Amino acid sequence: DQQVKQNSPSLSVQEGRISILNCDYTNSMFDYFLWYKKYPAEGPTFLISISSIKDKNEDGRFTVFLNKSAKHLSLHIVPSQPGDSAVYFCAASGRQYTGNQFYFGTGTSLTVIP
Amino acid sequence: NAGVTQTPKFRVLKTGQSMTLLCAQDMNHEYMYWYRQDPGMGLRLIHYSVGEGTTAKGEVPDGYNVSRLKKQNFLLGLESAAPSQTSVYFCASSYGRSSYNEQFFGPGTRLTVL
């Protein structure tokens, strides 16, 4: 049973516009969330994180929003650049999981069109 | 620093053959992980280790064994490969502190079982 879901397998955005990637989770015990970016033939790389004590975290062009009541988080990229074209995974964890375990979503493939 | 490295990058096996995937990290991380990535399934945790000499099961451990004889290495073994184990395998590592920490991923091993 998928505890972290990314319902949009793909997204296309024009360069300079905003990209919004969405992620939903079912486990109310999750309290820490990460976004990873993955290029073809490479491993995922960490992008940005958010704790459940916050509802927003910014890092340059990337902002993650968390809506705990809806069990929903989103990643905003503004402005989008062609180099942002990649697969984005969200991941979640909770205090009950030992070993810093994270559950990953299925990924959203973002294409930024020049 | 090389970060997380994986050997081999590609491998083709016949059903019933065995093999070992090697993961090495030079960041002095306590925790290490093995994931598999399949289309439409995201990253799923196979096994993980919270320190030298320790291992634990993740979401999908069946058909795999692991060993962590040295802190910097984490081995994933397939004793009798099956076509269902055709996948891309990622190793990751992280600090072993009390708070959450991002995981650092290797480049992946693409395994095909015929």
Side-chain angles (χ1 to χ4, degrees):
Chain A
D1 187 27
Q2 196 79 20
Q3 298 191 63
V4 179
K5 301 177 183 179
Q6 294 176 256
N7 293 319
S8 298
S10 61
L11 175 68
S12 291
V13 171
Q14 289 286 339
E15 181 178 3
R17 306 292 291 268
I18 184 172
S19 295
I20 300 177
L21 294 91
N22 295 304
C23 179
D24 297 293
Y25 59 96
T26 57
N27 189 337
S28 58
M29 299 299 288
F30 286 149
D31 61 3
Y32 196 78
F33 305 89
L34 305 175
W35 282 95
Y36 278 86
K37 177 179 180 179
K38 184 185 180 303
Y39 291 119
E42 295 183 10
T45 55
F46 169 73
L47 193 57
I48 192 169
S49 64
I50 189 166
S51 164
S52 61
I53 63 174
K54 295 184 175 181
D55 54 17
K56 176 182 174 182
N57 189 26
E58 286 182 83
D59 184 1
R61 295 186 297 113
F62 302 91
T63 303
V64 56
F65 295 92
L66 175 62
N67 182 333
K68 291 184 288 292
S69 61
K71 296 190 181 69
H72 177 83
L73 64 155
S74 61
L75 175 68
H76 293 210
I77 306 173
V78 183
S80 301
Q81 298 174 354
D84 296 329
S85 297
V87 177
Y88 291 79
F89 292 98
C90 64
S93 188
R95 295 286 171 193
Q96 73 274 30
Y97 298 110
T98 61
N100 194 41
Q101 291 182 67
F102 281 87
Y103 284 85
F104 284 79
T106 52
T108 296
S109 178
L110 173 66
T111 301
V112 180
I113 303 164
Chain B
N1 287 349
V4 180
T5 57
Q6 293 183 230
T7 308
K9 288 185 168 49
F10 303 93
R11 186 72 187 268
V12 179
L13 289 179
K14 294 181 180 178
T15 297
Q17 287 185 318
S18 63
M19 78 162 295
T20 300
L21 281 67
L22 171 63
C23 176
Q25 53 95 3
D26 61 3
M27 296 174 282
N28 202 33
H29 285 167
E30 285 294 327
Y31 295 175
M32 296 187 75
Y33 314 82
W34 276 107
Y35 292 88
R36 58 178 290 173
Q37 184 192 9
D38 303 292
M41 299 296 290
L43 290 158
R44 293 182 293 169
L45 183 64
I46 304 170
H47 286 281
Y48 65 100
S49 168
V50 298
E52 183 177 322
T54 73
T55 63
K57 295 180 180 180
E59 293 178 77
V60 290
D62 294 341
Y64 305 96
N65 58 76
V66 287
S67 64
R68 182 98 181 268
L69 298 179
K70 293 183 179 180
K71 185 177 183 179
Q72 64 268 34
N73 295 338
F74 195 29
L75 278 62
L76 178 71
L78 286 73
E79 290 185 349
S80 179
S84 61
Q85 294 178 304
T86 293
S87 187
V88 180
Y89 292 85
F90 289 100
C91 177
S93 68
S94 74
Y95 291 106
R97 300 172 185 162
S98 58
S99 60
Y100 298 109
N101 293 285
E102 75 218 52
Q103 296 177 8
F104 294 80
F105 283 82
T109 295
R110 184 173 293 275
L111 175 66
T112 302
V113 183
L114 302 175

